Amino acid sequence: MLELAGIIILGILAQWMAWRFKIPAILPLIIIGLLVGPIASLYTEDASKLIEPIWNGQQGLFPGESLFYFVSLAISIILFEGGLTLKKEEILNTGPVIGKLISVAVIITFAGAGVAAHYIFGLSWEIALLFSALIIVTGPTVITPILRNIPLKKDVSSILKWEGILIDPIGALFAVLVFEFISANAGGEFTLVALEEFGKIVLFGFSFGFSFAHALAFSIKKKLIPHYLLNVFTLAAVLGVFVLSDSFAHESGLLAVVVMGMVMGNINLPNLKELLYFKESLSVLLISILFILLAANINMEDLYLIYRWETAVLFAIVAFIIRPLGVFASSINSGLKINEKLFISWVGPRGIVAAGIASLFGSKLVTQGVDGAEYITPLVFMIVLGTVLLNATTARLFAKIVGVFLKQSDGIMIVGASKFSRIIASYLKEHGRSVVLVDTNTN
């Protein structure tokens, strides 16, 4: 009981620290998890952790595979919430740069990081490509706190913000698909049976996600669910779809909830905002618990795997070669200046989805006996912690160095959105000024 209460208290404390010092929450969460987990084992008499996620016969919260079940369910809720935020209009209207960042840059990162991991650590192509699929995600939970603390030019800030929002569910879906293929293949040769199993995973994942999203949306629109049960009923539905899809095709549950969230997010639901607020609060709690557990579950042996020069080389390639290459390739003929491209290249922290799914996938592949799977979790955690630490501590200074730091705002706010006010706002906007109209009348 003490360990469980301690995780919740430490998790919320880490969230408060992140808000207070304007840093991504994932940074204090992972550090606290490492301190009460593997690092604490170095200083206790019996080499035990202060918080032991898996029951070892004397202490621990989750016996057997219960931790992995909890992580799976928590990740399913987080991915569903991420899918709800993805609007098809945003993909169409956010401009060619953002569109290329979530397509061209993703392909460059996937291929480049996979090749680097394969040759630097000698990993199999399957594990190397899973690693690269996991680190393409830059989520809003790590980008937003950094941008909130730095006044930037509007175009630069918008690109980073929308990249994080749009790539979160897309990157998660991409990582899930790569994992499903490896899991269906069980680490062997790419046989026809493996392709069939992969096809079943994709078929059931998309089918269940799409079907139950429309069924739940229909129930909400027809008011078949009372208002006070709406949030918890949706939560139960998400968990039900995850388990049901997984029972038909093993490991298809994550794909199903991502698709379910994406479909519901693009349906005109009357209570969508309220649902999003509830899911966001639930995700904060789950993230707080999840990442302390995941970091504490890492053993010193896992940390020793990446305590070598190859790790530094891999991090440098990902952060200082692959990221800029993806950004510059995505911004060709975009009108962005060199200094703006440099800053966008510099800010690319990996976030919650990458670390959470890595721990889940890495653990599952280790139990399946896939060679090299033990590298997945520590390598992804290294990329996440390294990029967050780098960007949280240097982004403001780097913005000033390259000249994208906004020293003073030239925006104009007009109170009252009358026809005359809108004419003035249009004229100012055409001449390069940022204009905001404020009015109590929503019509």
Side-chain angles (χ1 to χ4, degrees), residues 103-317:
S103 56
V104 176
V106 162
I107 295 173
I108 291 174
T109 302
F110 178 65
V115 170
H118 172 72
Y119 286 106
I120 293 174
F121 280 90
L123 302 177
S124 67
W125 282 112
E126 295 155 299
I127 296 300
L129 291 177
L130 177 59
F131 163 77
S132 64
L134 287 165
I135 65 166
I136 66 176
V137 179
T138 61
T141 54
V142 287
I143 287 287
T144 303
I146 294 174
L147 297 181
R148 192 183 295 128
N149 196 35
I150 308 172
L152 296 170
K153 294 181 178 180
K154 185 179 179 181
D155 289 345
V156 175
S157 180
S158 296
I159 288 172
L160 287 170
K161 169 193 166 186
W162 286 110
E163 180 199 11
I165 291 174
L166 296 176
I167 206 173
D168 208 359
I170 291 174
L173 179 61
F174 198 74
V176 168
L177 288 175
V178 174
F179 170 75
E180 309 301 20
F181 193 89
I182 296 174
S183 183
N185 193 40
E189 295 297 324
F190 290 145
T191 62
L192 182 60
V193 175
L195 289 172
E196 290 176 353
E197 288 299 315
F198 177 70
K200 286 170 58 180
I201 289 169
V202 175
L203 175 63
F204 282 107
F206 275 98
S207 298
F208 278 103
F210 185 84
S211 302
F212 280 92
H214 281 283
L216 183 57
F218 176 82
S219 301
I220 294 174
K221 287 182 176 181
K222 296 297 182 181
K223 297 183 179 180
L224 301 177
I225 306 168
H227 186 268
Y228 76 97
L229 281 180
L230 177 61
N231 291 332
V232 291
F233 190 93
T234 303
L235 173 62
V238 171
L239 296 178
V241 169
F242 172 80
V243 174
L244 183 63
S245 180
D246 213 59
S247 65
F248 276 85
H250 190 52
E251 305 298 352
S252 66
L254 289 176
L255 177 58
V257 295
V258 172
V259 173
M260 184 179 179
M262 292 168 65
V263 172
M264 288 190 65
N266 288 279
I267 296 176
N268 186 23
L269 292 178
N271 301 102
L272 184 60
K273 283 188 176 181
E274 184 178 337
L275 191 61
L276 276 170
Y277 292 148
F278 171 73
K279 292 300 180 186
E280 184 179 11
S281 299
L282 186 60
S283 293
V284 168
L285 178 61
L286 288 174
I287 286 166
S288 303
I289 297 172
L290 188 62
F291 281 96
I292 291 180
L293 280 174
L294 296 177
N297 194 48
I298 295 177
N299 298 316
M300 288 307 300
E301 293 77 11
D302 297 326
L303 296 180
Y304 292 146
L305 284 175
I306 60 171
Y307 190 67
R308 41 201 278 196
W309 66 267
E310 290 95 334
T311 304
V313 173
L314 180 61
F315 176 81
I317 290 175

Side-chain angles (χ1 to χ4, degrees), residues 312-325 345-346 390-391:
V313 173
L314 180 61
F315 176 81
I317 290 175
V318 170
F320 304 127
I321 297 178
I322 295 176
R323 171 67 177 175
L325 186 61
S345 300
W346 186 262
L390 174 69
N391 294 153

